[in-house]
Amino acid sequence: MVNAQSEPAGSRVSEALMMLEMEQRDVLLALHYGRLTVAEVATQFDISPALVSRRALAALRSLRRLLDQGAQAPERL
């Protein structure tokens, strides 16, 4: 197993992103990588701007927790 300290940061972030709930990951990617506004993401996913904000906040909190833990995912089938 590779030590989380020796992995490139981008690899650790990518791994942690894949561990997020799909709804959280989609919102976060649209906001940060797609550079969409909250209103644009809300329209794209047909949800309220408040829900976009809640999902983004939950995603960021989960990412921090996962990265702090070293993003050691259980084996996926």
Side-chain angles (χ1 to χ4, degrees):
M1 176 176 243
V2 176
N3 182 338
Q5 295 292 332
S6 66
E7 287 183 59
S11 174
R12 289 185 11 232
V13 171
S14 294
E15 186 178 319
L17 278 169
M18 294 311 297
M19 294 172 65
L20 295 177
E21 292 179 17
M22 183 179 63
E23 293 85 3
Q24 291 178 1
R25 181 177 57 245
D26 289 347
V27 164
L28 194 63
L29 291 175
L31 287 169
H32 293 284
Y33 293 103
R35 297 187 176 260
L36 299 177
T37 66
V38 169
E40 291 169 332
V41 174
T43 299
Q44 178 177 337
F45 293 110
D46 195 28
I47 58 177
S48 72
L51 185 53
V52 170
S53 296
R54 284 193 301 271
R55 285 183 182 174
L57 182 59
L60 290 172
R61 286 179 176 160
S62 293
L63 272 179
R64 174 165 306 276
R65 180 181 44 79
L66 290 166
L67 292 171
D68 286 348
Q69 294 174 355
Q72 296 175 358
E75 291 292 323
R76 292 189 182 215
L77 298 178

